[in-house]
Amino acid sequence: MTSADHDSFLALLDTHQGILHKVANAYSWTPEDRQDLVQDMLVQLWRAHPRFDGRCKFSTWMYRIALNVALSFRRQESLRAAPLLPGDAHLETVVEAPPPPAEQAFLQRFI
């Protein structure tokens, strides 16, 4: 990528940065998540830029990449938030401690 291409890409990102923020606001709930998501979008746009062929408007291409990144982000978040084991009710059962040795001997005699 030449310096002119680099500058052109940065100018296009600056012109259409509202797309990134709009998508990030729709797919993340906290300011920290929004910042992370915008960063992820920018990284993917940077990686994909050499393959941009101009068959569509830059803003359309940018929106599509931002949306794909946001969907992946949301999927990862839902997997992280999911419980590891379904029905944790069995973890709430209380196991009684074994009786002290004197009681244990009494119970064995009783049985």
Side-chain angles (χ1 to χ4, degrees):
M1 183 181 285
T2 67
S3 179
D5 290 340
H6 177 72
D7 292 341
S8 170
F9 178 68
L10 292 178
L12 287 168
L13 284 179
D14 190 44
T15 301
H16 301 290
Q17 67 178 316
I19 292 170
L20 301 180
H21 296 288
K22 182 178 181 179
V23 172
N25 286 335
Y27 285 87
S28 56
W29 319 133
T30 66
E32 294 81 17
D33 283 347
R34 282 191 282 278
Q35 288 175 346
D36 288 346
L37 186 52
V38 168
Q39 248 182 344
D40 289 346
M41 290 174 192
L42 288 169
V43 168
Q44 290 305 318
L45 285 164
W46 178 257
R47 288 179 178 166
H49 184 256
R51 292 185 305 275
F52 176 65
D53 59 9
R55 286 188 292 164
C56 62
K57 293 192 313 189
F58 181 84
S59 58
T60 304
W61 175 82
M62 184 177 177
Y63 178 79
R64 189 67 190 156
I65 289 177
L67 187 61
N68 286 336
V69 171
L71 291 171
S72 294
F73 177 83
R74 187 62 19 228
R75 250 183 260 121
Q76 289 171 354
E77 285 296 308
S78 66
L79 289 176
R80 256 185 283 176
L84 296 178
L85 298 173
D88 291 335
H90 68 281
L91 297 176
E92 296 176 9
T93 57
V94 177
V95 177
E96 293 184 28
E103 288 182 27
Q104 198 171 17
F106 173 76
L107 289 173
Q108 283 179 342
R109 273 188 273 133
F110 183 74
I111 293 174

CSV table of all heavy atoms in Angstrom, one decimal, residues 9 38-51 61 65-66 69:
chain,number,residue,atom,x,y,z
A,9,PHE,N,-7.3,5.9,2.2
A,9,PHE,CA,-8.0,5.0,3.1
A,9,PHE,C,-8.4,5.7,4.4
A,9,PHE,O,-9.5,5.6,4.9
A,9,PHE,CB,-7.2,3.7,3.4
A,9,PHE,CG,-7.8,2.7,4.3
A,9,PHE,CD1,-9.0,2.1,3.9
A,9,PHE,CD2,-7.3,2.5,5.6
A,9,PHE,CE1,-9.6,1.2,4.8
A,9,PHE,CE2,-7.9,1.6,6.4
A,9,PHE,CZ,-9.0,0.9,6.1
A,38,VAL,N,-15.3,-1.0,18.0
A,38,VAL,CA,-14.9,-0.1,16.9
A,38,VAL,C,-13.4,-0.4,16.6
A,38,VAL,O,-13.1,-0.5,15.4
A,38,VAL,CB,-15.0,1.4,17.4
A,38,VAL,CG1,-14.3,2.3,16.4
A,38,VAL,CG2,-16.5,1.7,17.4
A,39,GLN,N,-12.6,-0.7,17.6
A,39,GLN,CA,-11.2,-1.1,17.3
A,39,GLN,C,-11.1,-2.4,16.4
A,39,GLN,O,-10.4,-2.5,15.5
A,39,GLN,CB,-10.5,-1.3,18.6
A,39,GLN,CG,-9.4,-0.3,18.9
A,39,GLN,CD,-8.7,-0.6,20.2
A,39,GLN,OE1,-9.1,-1.4,21.0
A,39,GLN,NE2,-7.6,0.0,20.4
A,40,ASP,N,-11.9,-3.4,16.8
A,40,ASP,CA,-12.0,-4.6,16.0
A,40,ASP,C,-12.4,-4.3,14.6
A,40,ASP,O,-11.8,-4.9,13.6
A,40,ASP,CB,-12.9,-5.6,16.6
A,40,ASP,CG,-12.4,-6.2,17.9
A,40,ASP,OD1,-11.2,-6.0,18.2
A,40,ASP,OD2,-13.2,-6.9,18.7
A,41,MET,N,-13.4,-3.5,14.4
A,41,MET,CA,-13.8,-3.1,13.1
A,41,MET,C,-12.7,-2.5,12.3
A,41,MET,O,-12.5,-2.8,11.1
A,41,MET,CB,-15.0,-2.2,13.1
A,41,MET,CG,-16.3,-2.8,13.7
A,41,MET,SD,-17.5,-1.5,13.9
A,41,MET,CE,-18.8,-2.4,14.8
A,42,LEU,N,-12.0,-1.5,12.9
A,42,LEU,CA,-10.9,-0.8,12.2
A,42,LEU,C,-9.8,-1.8,11.8
A,42,LEU,O,-9.3,-1.7,10.7
A,42,LEU,CB,-10.3,0.3,13.1
A,42,LEU,CG,-11.2,1.5,13.3
A,42,LEU,CD1,-10.7,2.4,14.4
A,42,LEU,CD2,-11.4,2.2,12.0
A,43,VAL,N,-9.5,-2.8,12.7
A,43,VAL,CA,-8.5,-3.8,12.3
A,43,VAL,C,-8.9,-4.6,11.1
A,43,VAL,O,-8.2,-4.8,10.2
A,43,VAL,CB,-8.2,-4.7,13.5
A,43,VAL,CG1,-7.4,-5.9,13.1
A,43,VAL,CG2,-7.5,-3.9,14.6
A,44,GLN,N,-10.2,-5.0,11.1
A,44,GLN,CA,-10.7,-5.8,10.0
A,44,GLN,C,-10.7,-5.0,8.7
A,44,GLN,O,-10.5,-5.5,7.6
A,44,GLN,CB,-12.0,-6.4,10.3
A,44,GLN,CG,-12.0,-7.5,11.3
A,44,GLN,CD,-11.0,-8.6,11.0
A,44,GLN,OE1,-10.9,-9.1,9.8
A,44,GLN,NE2,-10.2,-9.0,12.0
A,45,LEU,N,-11.1,-3.7,8.8
A,45,LEU,CA,-11.1,-2.9,7.6
A,45,LEU,C,-9.7,-2.7,7.1
A,45,LEU,O,-9.5,-2.7,5.8
A,45,LEU,CB,-11.8,-1.5,7.9
A,45,LEU,CG,-13.3,-1.5,8.1
A,45,LEU,CD1,-13.7,-0.3,8.8
A,45,LEU,CD2,-14.0,-1.7,6.8
A,46,TRP,N,-8.8,-2.5,7.9
A,46,TRP,CA,-7.4,-2.4,7.5
A,46,TRP,C,-6.9,-3.6,6.8
A,46,TRP,O,-6.2,-3.5,5.7
A,46,TRP,CB,-6.5,-2.1,8.7
A,46,TRP,CG,-5.1,-1.9,8.4
A,46,TRP,CD1,-4.1,-2.9,8.6
A,46,TRP,CD2,-4.4,-0.8,7.7
A,46,TRP,NE1,-2.9,-2.4,8.1
A,46,TRP,CE2,-3.1,-1.1,7.6
A,46,TRP,CE3,-4.9,0.4,7.3
A,46,TRP,CZ2,-2.1,-0.3,7.0
A,46,TRP,CZ3,-3.9,1.3,6.7
A,46,TRP,CH2,-2.6,0.9,6.6
A,47,ARG,N,-7.2,-4.8,7.3
A,47,ARG,CA,-6.8,-6.0,6.7
A,47,ARG,C,-7.5,-6.3,5.4
A,47,ARG,O,-6.9,-6.8,4.5
A,47,ARG,CB,-7.1,-7.2,7.6
A,47,ARG,CG,-6.2,-7.3,8.8
A,47,ARG,CD,-6.6,-8.4,9.7
A,47,ARG,NE,-5.7,-8.5,10.9
A,47,ARG,CZ,-6.0,-9.3,11.9
A,47,ARG,NH1,-7.1,-10.0,12.0
A,47,ARG,NH2,-5.1,-9.3,12.9
A,48,ALA,N,-8.7,-5.9,5.3
A,48,ALA,CA,-9.5,-6.1,4.1
A,48,ALA,C,-9.3,-5.1,3.0
A,48,ALA,O,-9.7,-5.3,1.8
A,48,ALA,CB,-11.0,-6.3,4.4
A,49,HIS,N,-8.8,-3.9,3.3
A,49,HIS,CA,-8.7,-2.8,2.4
A,49,HIS,C,-8.0,-3.2,1.1
A,49,HIS,O,-8.5,-2.8,0.0
A,49,HIS,CB,-8.1,-1.6,3.0
A,49,HIS,CG,-8.1,-0.4,2.1
A,49,HIS,ND1,-6.9,0.0,1.4
A,49,HIS,CD2,-9.0,0.4,1.7
A,49,HIS,CE1,-7.2,1.0,0.7
A,49,HIS,NE2,-8.5,1.3,0.8
A,50,PRO,N,-6.9,-4.0,1.1
A,50,PRO,CA,-6.3,-4.3,-0.2
A,50,PRO,C,-7.2,-5.1,-1.1
A,50,PRO,O,-7.0,-5.1,-2.3
A,50,PRO,CB,-5.1,-5.2,0.2
A,50,PRO,CG,-4.8,-4.7,1.6
A,50,PRO,CD,-6.1,-4.4,2.2
A,51,ARG,N,-8.2,-5.7,-0.6
A,51,ARG,CA,-9.2,-6.5,-1.4
A,51,ARG,C,-10.4,-5.7,-1.9
A,51,ARG,O,-11.2,-6.2,-2.6
A,51,ARG,CB,-9.6,-7.8,-0.7
A,51,ARG,CG,-8.5,-8.8,-0.4
A,51,ARG,CD,-8.9,-10.0,0.2
A,51,ARG,NE,-9.6,-9.9,1.5
A,51,ARG,CZ,-9.1,-9.8,2.7
A,51,ARG,NH1,-7.8,-9.8,2.8
A,51,ARG,NH2,-9.8,-9.6,3.7
A,61,TRP,N,-19.4,-1.2,1.5
A,61,TRP,CA,-18.3,-2.2,1.9
A,61,TRP,C,-17.9,-2.1,3.4
A,61,TRP,O,-17.9,-3.1,4.1
A,61,TRP,CB,-17.1,-2.0,1.0
A,61,TRP,CG,-16.0,-2.9,1.2
A,61,TRP,CD1,-15.8,-4.1,0.8
A,61,TRP,CD2,-14.8,-2.5,1.9
A,61,TRP,NE1,-14.6,-4.6,1.2
A,61,TRP,CE2,-13.9,-3.6,1.9
A,61,TRP,CE3,-14.4,-1.3,2.6
A,61,TRP,CZ2,-12.7,-3.6,2.6
A,61,TRP,CZ3,-13.2,-1.3,3.2
A,61,TRP,CH2,-12.3,-2.4,3.2
A,65,ILE,N,-18.5,-5.0,6.5
A,65,ILE,CA,-17.5,-5.5,7.3
A,65,ILE,C,-17.8,-5.2,8.8
A,65,ILE,O,-17.6,-6.0,9.7
A,65,ILE,CB,-16.1,-4.9,6.9
A,65,ILE,CG1,-15.7,-5.6,5.5
A,65,ILE,CG2,-15.0,-5.2,7.9
A,65,ILE,CD1,-14.4,-5.1,4.9
A,66,ALA,N,-18.2,-4.0,9.0
A,66,ALA,CA,-18.5,-3.6,10.4
A,66,ALA,C,-19.6,-4.5,11.0
A,66,ALA,O,-19.6,-4.9,12.1
A,66,ALA,CB,-18.9,-2.1,10.5
A,69,VAL,N,-18.3,-8.0,11.8
A,69,VAL,CA,-17.5,-7.9,13.0
A,69,VAL,C,-18.4,-7.8,14.2
A,69,VAL,O,-18.2,-8.5,15.2
A,69,VAL,CB,-16.4,-6.8,13.0
A,69,VAL,CG1,-15.8,-6.6,14.3
A,69,VAL,CG2,-15.4,-7.0,11.9
